[in-house]
Amino acid sequence: MTEDLAPKKELAAVKGTKDILPGEVEKWQALERLARETFELYHFRELRAPVFEPTELFEKGTGATSDVVTKEMYTFIDKGGRSLTLRPEYTPSVVRAIMEHRLDLEGAPMRYYYMGPMFRYDKPQKGRYRQFHQVDIEVFGEKDAAVDAEIIEMAHALLRKLGVTGTETLVNSVGCRACRPAYGAALREAAGKRLAELCPDCQRKAETNPLRIFDCKVEGCREVAASFPSIQDFLCEECRDHFARLLATLDVLEIPYRIDPRLVRGLDYYTKTTFEIVSSHLGAQNALLGGGRYDDMMKDFGGPDVCGTGFAMGIERVLSVAEIPLADPKVLYVAYLGDEAKKAGLTLARFFRANGVECLIEFKDRGMKAHFGRANKLRASWVLIVGEDEMAKGRFGLKAMATGRQVDGAREELLALLRES
Ligand code: AMP
C-alpha cells in the first residue's frame, strides 16, 4: 500500500485490539463450535450477559486489591452519571445474573458457559491484549471437589479436540476464610523481612494483601516470593480434605497434574481449588486457561449461599498453539453470459443454496474465459455455466475444477451430482 493510501493513524484499530479477518476467523468459528459441543456433552448451557456492568460488581467480585481492578479496568461514567466498566472477566456477571433471575431456585443444574470479549488495560504484548476473548464456564451449587476435577477433565477434552499438545496441569489450594488469615500473617512477616528487595507495588501489597505478591511479574519479586512459606502447610482440615479429594478424582480421570503452591491466580475471590493449564509451546504468557473455586462470592454479593467453580480459557492463546483441521469450503461459482443469463443464474443460485450448496454469483459482466479465471483464482470447486443455449434447453453445464470434467444436466440432476462429490 502506498503512503497515500495507508489509513490515517486515527482510523487504525485501538492499541491492544485487533480485527479477526476471514482466513483467520474460520479457526475461531471452529473453536467456538467445538467448545459448545464439548460443554453441552457435560450438560452446560449458554448464559449471555452484557458487555458492561456497574463498576461496583467487579470491585466487589474480582476484588479491590487485584491488579485487574486496581490497574486494568476500562471504567467510564455514562451520560446518567453511573460508573460502568467493560467487563475484565466474566464470573461476577454470571453470579449477578443468577441472583437477579433467581436461577438457584429453578432446580436445573447450574452449569453455564459463555464466549466473548473481555477488556483489560494491560500492557499489550504477544499473548496479551486489551480486548481479548475468553471461553468461560461456571458450575454453581456443587461443593464436592469432584466437580473441580470434572471441569479440568472437560478442559482437556476440549484442548484435545483443538489439537493442543504439550500441556501441563497445575493445581493448588488457596484455603478458605478460616485458614487463609494465618497464612496471610506468615506471608506478611516473610515479606516484611525482605521488603527492600520488593518492587514498590509489592511493598504496598505486603501490607494490603500479601497473597497478591505472587501475581507480580517483576523477576526480583518472583525470586523473593519463591522463598515464602507454602500455603499447603497452612490449610485447615476441610481445605486439606477438599484438596485430597481433588487430587484423587484427577487420578480417577487419569489427568496428570503438578502441585504448584505459588498458584494463587490474580483474582481475590478464590477459595480452596485453583488451577491452570499451561502450554510448553508458549513463553512468558503460557497459561491457556485458569480457574478455581469461589465459594463466597454470591454470599458476599448479598445473595444466597451458593458455591461456585469454573475456568476461563484465552481464545487468542489457545489458537496460537491449536492445530485445528479445517476443510476448505466447496463453492459453486455461477458463470453466466448476458443479462438474461444473469437472472437465470440468480434463480439457479437460489435453488442450489436452498439445497445447501454454497454459491457465488458476481454481478460484473464477464466473458466465459474471465469467469473461469475468476473461479480458478477463488479456488471454486465447480463452475455452473449458464448461457442462452443452456437456458433454452433447461440444461446447464457443470465443470469440476479439480478434474476439468464437464457434464450437462437439469438443475436437479446437477444437484444430485454435487451431493455425491
Ligand atoms: P484470568 O481471567 O486472568 O484468569 O485469565 C484466564 C485466561 O485468559 C488466561 O489463561 C489467558 O489465556 C487469557 N487472558 C487473560 N488476560 C489476557 C489478555 N490480556 N490477553 C489475552 N489473553 C488473556
Side-chain angles (χ1 to χ4, degrees):
M1 197 182 281
T2 67
E3 190 93 343
D4 292 353
L5 292 176
K8 288 213 173 66
K9 196 139 194 265
E10 56 267 32
L11 287 181
V14 171
K15 189 174 173 192
T17 72
K18 58 178 190 165
D19 302 308
I20 305 157
L21 304 176
E24 197 197 344
V25 82
E26 292 76 10
K27 283 195 202 157
W28 286 70
Q29 291 168 337
L31 179 147
E32 287 159 7
R33 179 175 49 77
L34 291 167
R36 263 177 229 289
E37 276 173 25
T38 306
F39 301 156
E40 295 193 357
L41 289 174
Y42 291 73
H43 203 79
F44 281 70
R45 295 292 179 258
E46 188 168 5
L47 189 160
R48 301 186 189 191
V51 166
F52 55 84
E53 298 271 3
T55 301
E56 199 197 343
L57 181 76
F58 301 109
E59 286 171 349
K60 267 198 185 159
T62 311
T65 62
S66 66
D67 282 356
V68 170
V69 170
T70 52
K71 301 182 200 160
E72 297 170 8
M73 291 216 298
Y74 276 93
T75 296
F76 60 98
I77 306 291
D78 78 356
K79 289 192 164 62
R82 286 171 286 258
S83 178
L84 302 176
T85 293
L86 298 183
R87 60 184 180 208
E89 57 140 350
Y90 202 60
T91 309
S93 299
V94 189
V95 173
R96 179 203 44 73
I98 291 174
M99 289 168 57
E100 193 167 330
H101 304 287
R102 290 313 309 258
L103 299 180
D104 56 305
L105 299 180
E106 285 186 2
M110 287 189 280
R111 293 176 165 233
Y112 306 108
Y113 73 86
Y114 176 72
M115 297 169 228
M118 307 291 152
F119 307 86
R120 293 185 195 172
Y121 192 81
D122 204 348
K123 200 167 154 220
Q125 54 187 275
K126 194 170 183 296
R128 191 179 293 151
Y129 308 98
R130 289 184 172 168
Q131 174 175 327
F132 62 100
H133 299 76
Q134 286 185 337
V135 166
D136 182 276
I137 71 101
E138 316 284 349
V139 181
F140 295 87
E142 290 272 22
K143 276 197 186 321
D144 197 313
V147 75
D148 301 350
E150 189 195 15
I151 61 175
I152 293 174
E153 189 260 324
M154 179 169 82
H156 279 289
L158 174 58
L159 291 173
R160 236 186 345 266
K161 289 182 197 173
L162 296 171
V164 175
T165 54
T167 60
E168 186 178 26
T169 305
L170 310 177
V171 293
N172 191 25
S173 172
V174 292
C176 65
R177 283 190 177 151
C179 51
R180 208 170 325 140
Y183 181 57
L187 274 186
R188 194 165 286 125
E189 196 189 325
K193 287 188 188 142
R194 305 191 58 180
L195 214 53
E197 295 164 72
L198 295 174
C199 73
D201 206 21
C202 284
Q203 291 179 353
R204 187 179 49 78
K205 288 175 178 173
E207 264 316 301
T208 54
N209 187 353
L211 204 64
R212 296 275 68 92
I213 296 176
F214 290 119
D215 305 331
C216 186
K217 289 151 197 152
V218 176
E219 199 44 49
C221 297
R222 296 180 86 90
E223 274 166 31
V224 174
S227 71
F228 286 174
S230 162
I231 191 154
Q232 292 286 332
D233 299 327
F234 287 78
L235 297 180
C236 63
E237 202 183 328
E238 189 187 311
C239 288
R240 251 199 331 269
D241 272 6
H242 193 271
F243 194 55
R245 282 179 72 83
L246 167 73
L247 302 186
T249 319
L250 286 173
D251 288 339
V252 169
L253 294 171
E254 297 175 341
I255 308 281
Y257 56 82
R258 179 160 66 82
I259 300 172
D260 178 357
R262 318 273 167 225
L263 184 75
V264 297
R265 313 229 351 101
L267 314 172
D268 282 350
Y269 50 65
Y270 287 117
T271 51
K272 300 192 170 86
T273 309
T274 52
F275 60 89
E276 259 179 23
I277 299 181
V278 297
S279 165
S280 59
H281 303 307
L282 292 174
Q285 313 302 326
N286 67 348
L288 298 174
L289 63 93
R293 182 166 275 281
Y294 47 95
D295 289 346
D296 300 324
M297 193 192 292
M298 204 171 311
K299 194 172 51 187
D300 289 349
F301 278 174
D305 187 3
V306 177
C307 60
T309 184
F311 68 74
M313 182 181 103
I315 298 186
E316 286 84 353
R317 268 197 226 162
V318 167
L319 285 181
S320 72
V321 293
E323 299 275 346
I324 309 176
L326 289 177
D328 274 342
K330 292 193 161 186
V331 178
L332 173 68
Y333 179 94
V334 182
Y336 57 86
L337 274 183
D339 222 34
E340 284 310 305
K342 186 189 280 188
K343 287 183 209 150
L346 252 182
T347 313
L348 283 161
R350 185 174 69 163
F351 166 78
F352 284 110
R353 287 170 179 152
N355 286 287
V357 179
E358 182 173 339
C359 287
L360 176 68
I361 176 164
E362 290 184 318
F363 302 101
K364 288 186 194 77
D365 286 325
R366 291 189 169 108
M368 253 322 144
K369 202 167 161 227
H371 271 307
F372 273 95
R374 179 79 178 142
N376 229 336
K377 186 157 180 249
L378 297 175
R379 298 204 281 145
S381 300
W382 311 280
V383 174
L384 180 71
I385 302 155
V386 190
E388 296 211 344
D389 279 1
E390 284 83 359
M391 288 195 302
K393 290 190 208 138
R395 293 176 71 79
F396 307 92
L398 180 71
K399 182 166 181 172
M401 296 300 276
T403 59
R405 195 169 155 249
Q406 188 172 326
V407 292
D408 269 13
R411 61 185 201 176
E412 286 78 8
E413 292 169 275
L414 298 182
L415 177 64
L417 280 177
L418 290 177
R419 285 191 166 150
E420 274 166 27
S421 64

